[in-house]
Amino acid sequence: PQGDVPGEWYSPTQPFPLDAKGRPFNYDRQGFTVDDLLDFTAELRAEALQVASKYKLGPVFTPPVVSKADGPLATLAMMVTGGGTNWPGGSYDPETHIVYVHSRRGAGQLGLVPPRPESKTDVAYVSGNALTGARGAPPPPLPLGAAPPPPEGGRGLNVRGLPLVKPPYGQISAIDLGKGEVIWQVAHGETPDLVRNHPALKGLDIPRTGRNGVIGTLVTKTLLVAGETGFGPTPSGARGALLRAYDKATGKDAGAVYMPAPQTGSPMTYVMHGKQYIVLAIAGPNFPGELIAYRLP
């Protein structure tokens, strides 16, 4: 799609990766359409549509817009600051030529505003939002007696505190590199308390949503191992996160153990004296980073 930002030049084409059968290939959502909006209930769906109406939606490569207070505030995209695969990457099985990769879904804003007068840049536009100003800048002062803008107007894309996008918020994909096909996908991570305990969802059976976060995976002879992001309840009543194992061929749950804090980065494994160990870094709010090791039976 072409944009209309004054002074900007737009390429007439963009590269689209194709699978082995010549079809466009992706393993998670890109761009942003109304089909990506949360739909737990008809009422929440209607509110999500109202929030999205303030933004520009479109497929992958839909460019940013100049942010306007009366709309569009920005272009919504899935695979920017709030989504996609991040720096931990994935893990590759050299015997099967399958790669396992974690990705997350979260709406991000692509809006442009004039730079602040005191800034030193000579570019015409910088990243930002008409209601909150340039990114990284404090919000502009409000007129005396004026109410602040609603969360969906700038800094937060949500409906009653729920993510604007529907789950899974985090997932793991197994991709056959020889065939160029996704073999299986699973929602990775327990449903966050924000969703599980939300009053608007009381009485609803919400399947495991996965969690938004940045983690890596570890593949072994038979398993795919990855820890959760974010704290959740444990049987003991303490806060923690699960280290999960999946059958690497099917994606079915193969086991789990509670950790005192969420995973950061990627797990690693080694064998010593005939025993296999899995080591990973864990950390979280009010929990300093540390290494933790588990011995497999």
Side-chain angles (χ1 to χ4, degrees):
Q2 299 293 292
D4 57 1
V5 176
E8 183 65 283
W9 177 86
Y10 297 92
S11 173
T13 62
Q14 292 285 355
F16 286 84
L18 303 179
D19 65 14
K21 297 181 180 179
R23 302 167 299 188
F25 178 82
N26 61 71
Y27 58 88
D28 211 331
R29 297 291 299 146
Q30 302 177 30
F32 203 102
T33 72
V34 293
D35 291 337
D36 297 315
L37 297 171
L38 86 164
D39 55 1
F40 291 126
T41 68
E43 186 177 7
L44 290 172
R45 172 76 169 186
E47 293 182 33
L49 287 167
Q50 180 62 31
V51 172
S53 70
K54 301 180 178 69
Y55 297 86
K56 181 177 181 179
L57 310 183
V60 62
F61 301 131
T62 299
V65 296
V66 176
S67 181
K68 300 176 182 177
D70 56 354
L73 288 170
T75 296
L76 290 187
M78 199 77 72
M79 297 302 150
V80 287
T81 55
T85 297
N86 215 296
W87 58 267
S91 51
Y92 172 68
D93 188 333
E95 295 181 351
T96 62
H97 303 292
I98 295 174
V99 66
Y100 302 87
V101 62
H102 178 267
S103 58
R104 57 180 180 159
R105 295 184 186 180
Q109 303 184 49
L110 299 174
L112 298 172
V113 295
R116 289 173 289 163
E118 68 272 19
S119 67
K120 305 299 182 181
T121 182
D122 60 357
V123 300
Y125 297 99
V126 296
S127 178
N129 183 293
L131 297 183
T132 57
R135 184 167 296 167
L142 294 170
L144 185 63
E152 65 269 18
R155 299 194 184 280
L157 292 166
N158 65 83
V159 175
R160 304 191 207 177
L162 291 168
L164 183 64
V165 301
K166 62 184 178 183
Y169 306 127
Q171 69 179 12
I172 294 175
S173 302
I175 305 168
D176 188 320
L177 298 184
K179 298 179 179 179
E181 296 178 354
V182 176
I183 301 173
W184 55 258
Q185 292 180 313
V186 295
H188 179 65
E190 283 298 312
T191 302
D193 291 347
L194 171 69
V195 176
R196 187 195 310 274
N197 301 327
H198 199 283
L201 304 179
K202 187 175 182 180
L204 295 182
D205 182 17
I206 305 295
R208 195 163 84 195
T209 64
R211 294 182 184 174
N212 193 318
V214 177
I215 61 160
T217 60
L218 167 70
V219 64
T220 72
K221 193 74 173 179
T222 58
L223 300 175
L224 191 282
V225 179
E228 291 181 336
T229 63
F231 284 92
T234 68
S236 67
R239 305 288 287 171
L242 282 169
L243 176 63
R244 293 183 176 275
Y246 303 94
D247 183 315
K248 75 175 187 181
T250 65
K252 293 182 178 180
D253 288 340
V257 62
Y258 280 100
M259 306 180 294
Q263 172 182 319
T264 62
S266 302
M268 59 91 62
T269 187
Y270 63 93
V271 174
M272 184 174 67
H273 304 314
K275 294 289 186 179
Q276 185 173 6
Y277 298 80
I278 294 177
V279 181
L280 62 159
I282 59 174
N286 300 316
F287 193 99
E290 65 180 36
L291 295 175
I292 188 169
Y294 292 94
R295 186 178 63 200
L296 300 185

